[in-house]
Short mmCIF file of all heavy atoms in Angstrom, two decimals:
data_model
loop_
_atom_site.label_atom_id
_atom_site.label_comp_id
_atom_site.label_asym_id
_atom_site.label_seq_id
_atom_site.Cartn_x
_atom_site.Cartn_y
_atom_site.Cartn_z
N LEU A 259 143.90 114.52 111.65
CA LEU A 259 144.07 113.65 112.79
C LEU A 259 142.80 113.46 113.59
O LEU A 259 142.82 112.87 114.65
CB LEU A 259 145.13 114.24 113.74
CG LEU A 259 146.49 114.36 113.09
CD1 LEU A 259 147.47 114.92 114.07
CD2 LEU A 259 146.94 113.01 112.60
N SER A 260 141.70 114.02 113.16
CA SER A 260 140.51 113.98 114.00
C SER A 260 140.00 112.57 114.17
O SER A 260 139.97 111.81 113.25
CB SER A 260 139.40 114.80 113.35
OG SER A 260 139.89 116.04 112.94
N SER A 261 139.53 112.24 115.38
CA SER A 261 138.92 110.95 115.62
C SER A 261 137.54 111.09 116.20
O SER A 261 136.89 110.10 116.49
CB SER A 261 139.79 110.13 116.56
OG SER A 261 139.76 110.68 117.83
N SER A 262 137.06 112.31 116.37
CA SER A 262 135.72 112.52 116.88
C SER A 262 135.17 113.77 116.25
O SER A 262 135.90 114.57 115.69
CB SER A 262 135.75 112.67 118.40
OG SER A 262 136.38 113.88 118.73
N SER A 263 133.83 113.94 116.32
CA SER A 263 133.22 115.09 115.69
C SER A 263 133.77 116.39 116.24
O SER A 263 134.07 117.32 115.50
CB SER A 263 131.70 115.04 115.89
OG SER A 263 131.17 113.93 115.22
N ALA A 264 133.92 116.48 117.55
CA ALA A 264 134.41 117.72 118.14
C ALA A 264 135.82 118.03 117.68
O ALA A 264 136.15 119.16 117.35
CB ALA A 264 134.37 117.61 119.67
N LEU A 265 136.68 116.99 117.64
CA LEU A 265 138.05 117.20 117.24
C LEU A 265 138.14 117.55 115.78
O LEU A 265 138.91 118.38 115.35
CB LEU A 265 138.88 115.95 117.55
CG LEU A 265 140.40 116.09 117.35
CD1 LEU A 265 140.92 117.23 118.20
CD2 LEU A 265 141.07 114.79 117.70
N GLN A 266 137.30 116.91 114.95
CA GLN A 266 137.35 117.20 113.52
C GLN A 266 136.86 118.60 113.23
O GLN A 266 137.30 119.24 112.29
CB GLN A 266 136.51 116.18 112.75
CG GLN A 266 137.18 114.82 112.70
CD GLN A 266 136.46 113.85 111.83
OE1 GLN A 266 135.51 114.19 111.16
NE2 GLN A 266 136.90 112.63 111.83
N ASP A 267 135.89 119.09 114.00
CA ASP A 267 135.44 120.47 113.81
C ASP A 267 136.58 121.44 114.08
O ASP A 267 136.69 122.48 113.44
CB ASP A 267 134.27 120.78 114.74
CG ASP A 267 132.96 120.27 114.18
OD1 ASP A 267 132.85 120.11 112.97
OD2 ASP A 267 132.05 120.04 114.98
N ARG A 268 137.42 121.09 115.07
CA ARG A 268 138.47 122.00 115.49
C ARG A 268 139.68 121.95 114.57
O ARG A 268 140.27 122.96 114.25
CB ARG A 268 138.90 121.66 116.92
CG ARG A 268 139.98 122.56 117.48
CD ARG A 268 140.15 122.32 118.96
NE ARG A 268 140.50 120.95 119.23
CZ ARG A 268 141.75 120.52 119.20
NH1 ARG A 268 142.73 121.31 118.89
NH2 ARG A 268 142.01 119.25 119.48
N LYS A 269 140.04 120.75 114.11
CA LYS A 269 141.25 120.62 113.30
C LYS A 269 140.86 120.30 111.87
O LYS A 269 140.57 119.16 111.54
CB LYS A 269 142.15 119.54 113.86
CG LYS A 269 142.61 119.91 115.24
CD LYS A 269 143.85 119.18 115.62
CE LYS A 269 144.39 119.74 116.90
NZ LYS A 269 145.73 119.38 117.17
N LEU A 270 140.84 121.34 111.05
CA LEU A 270 140.34 121.19 109.70
C LEU A 270 141.44 120.88 108.71
O LEU A 270 141.18 120.30 107.68
CB LEU A 270 139.61 122.47 109.28
CG LEU A 270 138.41 122.80 110.17
CD1 LEU A 270 137.74 124.06 109.68
CD2 LEU A 270 137.44 121.66 110.19
N ILE A 271 142.64 121.31 109.01
CA ILE A 271 143.74 120.92 108.14
C ILE A 271 144.96 120.64 108.99
O ILE A 271 145.22 121.32 109.94
CB ILE A 271 144.06 121.99 107.10
CG1 ILE A 271 143.11 121.82 105.94
CG2 ILE A 271 145.47 121.88 106.63
CD1 ILE A 271 143.63 122.30 104.65
N ASN A 272 145.70 119.64 108.54
CA ASN A 272 146.80 119.16 109.33
C ASN A 272 147.96 118.91 108.39
O ASN A 272 147.88 118.03 107.58
CB ASN A 272 146.29 117.91 110.00
CG ASN A 272 147.30 117.24 110.80
OD1 ASN A 272 148.30 117.83 111.14
ND2 ASN A 272 147.04 116.00 111.13
N ALA A 273 148.98 119.78 108.38
CA ALA A 273 149.99 119.73 107.34
C ALA A 273 150.96 118.60 107.55
O ALA A 273 151.63 118.55 108.53
CB ALA A 273 150.74 121.04 107.31
N VAL A 274 151.02 117.69 106.58
CA VAL A 274 151.84 116.50 106.73
C VAL A 274 152.61 116.22 105.46
O VAL A 274 152.07 116.31 104.39
CB VAL A 274 150.97 115.27 107.04
CG1 VAL A 274 151.84 114.06 107.19
CG2 VAL A 274 150.18 115.48 108.30
N ASN A 275 153.88 115.87 105.56
CA ASN A 275 154.70 115.54 104.40
C ASN A 275 154.85 114.04 104.27
O ASN A 275 155.10 113.37 105.23
CB ASN A 275 156.10 116.13 104.57
CG ASN A 275 156.05 117.58 104.88
OD1 ASN A 275 155.20 118.26 104.33
ND2 ASN A 275 156.92 118.06 105.74
N PHE A 276 154.70 113.55 103.04
CA PHE A 276 154.82 112.13 102.82
C PHE A 276 155.79 111.84 101.70
O PHE A 276 156.28 112.72 101.04
CB PHE A 276 153.46 111.50 102.49
CG PHE A 276 152.57 111.47 103.65
CD1 PHE A 276 151.64 112.46 103.84
CD2 PHE A 276 152.66 110.46 104.58
CE1 PHE A 276 150.82 112.44 104.90
CE2 PHE A 276 151.82 110.43 105.65
CZ PHE A 276 150.91 111.42 105.81
N ALA A 277 156.00 110.55 101.44
CA ALA A 277 157.01 110.14 100.48
C ALA A 277 156.42 109.60 99.21
O ALA A 277 155.46 108.89 99.23
CB ALA A 277 157.90 109.07 101.10
N LYS A 278 157.04 109.95 98.08
CA LYS A 278 156.67 109.36 96.80
C LYS A 278 157.32 108.00 96.68
O LYS A 278 158.52 107.85 96.88
CB LYS A 278 157.19 110.20 95.64
CG LYS A 278 156.40 111.45 95.35
CD LYS A 278 156.99 112.10 94.14
CE LYS A 278 156.34 113.44 93.85
NZ LYS A 278 157.00 114.13 92.75
N PRO A 279 156.57 106.98 96.32
CA PRO A 279 157.20 105.69 96.09
C PRO A 279 158.09 105.73 94.85
O PRO A 279 157.68 106.20 93.81
CB PRO A 279 156.04 104.72 95.92
CG PRO A 279 154.80 105.51 95.98
CD PRO A 279 155.15 106.95 96.21
N ASN A 280 159.29 105.19 94.96
CA ASN A 280 160.19 105.17 93.82
C ASN A 280 159.63 104.35 92.68
O ASN A 280 160.02 104.50 91.53
CB ASN A 280 161.55 104.59 94.24
CG ASN A 280 162.20 105.43 95.31
OD1 ASN A 280 161.90 106.61 95.43
ND2 ASN A 280 163.08 104.83 96.09
#
Side-chain angles (χ1 to χ4, degrees):
L259 298 181
S260 313
S261 69
S262 68
S263 295
L265 188 57
Q266 287 186 6
D267 279 335
R268 181 169 59 86
K269 297 201 171 196
L270 300 180
I271 277 207
N272 177 17
V274 180
N275 307 323
F276 289 96
K278 283 184 185 175
N280 299 337

